[in-house]
Amino acid sequence: MEIRFDGKRALVTGAGKGIGRAVAVALDKGGAQVVALSRTGEDLEALKKECSDITTVVVDLLDWDGTEVALAGVGPVDLLVNNAGVADNQPFLEVTRTAWDRTFDTNVKAVFHVSQLVARGMRDKGSGGAIVNVSSVASQRALQNHTAYCSSKGALDMLTKVMALELAPYKIRVNSVHPTVVMTPMGRKEWSDPSRAAVLQTRIPMGRFVEEEEVVNCILFLLSNASEMVHGAQLTIDGGLLVN
Ligand code: NDP
């Protein structure tokens, strides 16, 4: 099945690195008019060199006023991937207020904010839309030293469900993907030690971590008309980790 997005404008947050960057490139190849948002300008310049049709937006999603100004300039969006996320991992007893706030500000509050701005535009345009929130298996499984991260992804899952409930009348579909470890810059920071990685991999029935492209394919499916009645779904991409 070939998935095309010709004539659609897609906004991808956190598109400077990792999964978000790979999604932006894939959407560009699929014919979408891509708006790639991130906060490090050099990352987006490199992306622009690879895909010259992509529009880049440098903004920190924690700056709500700056985000509103930036998004007002990109025009109506048909497809949104809320991908930007952070992981500040600390033992429960050591979690700092700064880490807790930064995690929730990025992984939950910024998703709410961007989605509200974009969904209002989708409603006003009247032609529906699709939103994919990038959650994690960490929303459903407690992981050592991941207090803020697991909690934020759990909150994101409920946000996804409420958005699905309230945006359906406007034909805006909302779903989430839940990968296990992907060796992006975020994944490498936590899981590069082979002995540590092996402990988690032995709990994954398929016996390995997930490739970036495998997450991208699931996101493209959820954005496309091929998933027209898939709404409020939580698609795990975990080689079976959560069945264990
Ligand atoms: P990376 O850290 O590799 O990339 C994240 C991107 O998001 C970077 O470009 C980063 O910019 C950007 N970003 C972060 N915060 C902000 C912000 N406030 N404003 C604008 N841009 C921001 O992460 P991954 O690609 O690994 O993760 C992407 C998503 O996938 C996240 O939501 C993550 O939680 C989720 N996920 C990742 C897994 C993994 O193992 N990698 C597993 C499961 C889920 P900059 O570098 O400039 O800060």
Side-chain angles (χ1 to χ4, degrees), residues 13-20 37-40 43 59-62 82-86 102 106-107 134-137 149 153 178-187 191 212:
T13 69
K17 298 184 174 77
I19 295 166
L37 180 155
S38 198
R39 66 180 164 188
T40 301
D43 287 341
V59 73
D60 186 336
L61 291 169
L62 271 48
N82 284 307
N83 162 82
V86 292
R102 190 173 94 98
T106 313
N107 297 3
V134 181
S135 183
S136 166
V137 289
Y149 187 75
K153 293 297 188 180
H178 299 249
T180 185
V181 175
V182 190
M183 282 307 204
T184 60
M186 178 192 286
W191 299 100
E212 242 171 44

Side-chain angles (χ1 to χ4, degrees), residues 31 106 120 124 127 129-130 146 157 167 207 214-215 219 224 238 240 244:
T106 313
R120 284 177 180 156
D124 294 347
S127 49
H146 282 63
D157 289 0
L167 297 178
E214 292 167 328
V215 181
I219 293 174
S224 76
D238 67 346
N244 235 338

Side-chain angles (χ1 to χ4, degrees), residues 74-144:
V74 306
V77 166
D78 307 291
L79 311 170
L80 168 63
V81 182
N82 284 307
N83 162 82
V86 292
D88 277 338
N89 297 328
Q90 298 162 328
F92 173 78
L93 293 174
E94 314 299 332
V95 174
T96 61
R97 179 175 171 178
T98 305
W100 180 266
D101 285 348
R102 190 173 94 98
T103 306
F104 271 77
D105 284 349
T106 313
N107 297 3
V108 188
K109 288 163 73 176
V111 175
F112 158 72
H113 183 224
V114 170
S115 299
Q116 191 185 55
L117 294 173
V118 167
R120 284 177 180 156
M122 288 172 171
R123 174 201 60 193
D124 294 347
K125 191 177 170 203
S127 49
I131 299 176
V132 176
N133 292 337
V134 181
S135 183
S136 166
V137 289
S139 71
Q140 293 160 41
R141 178 65 53 91
L143 292 170
Q144 202 74 32

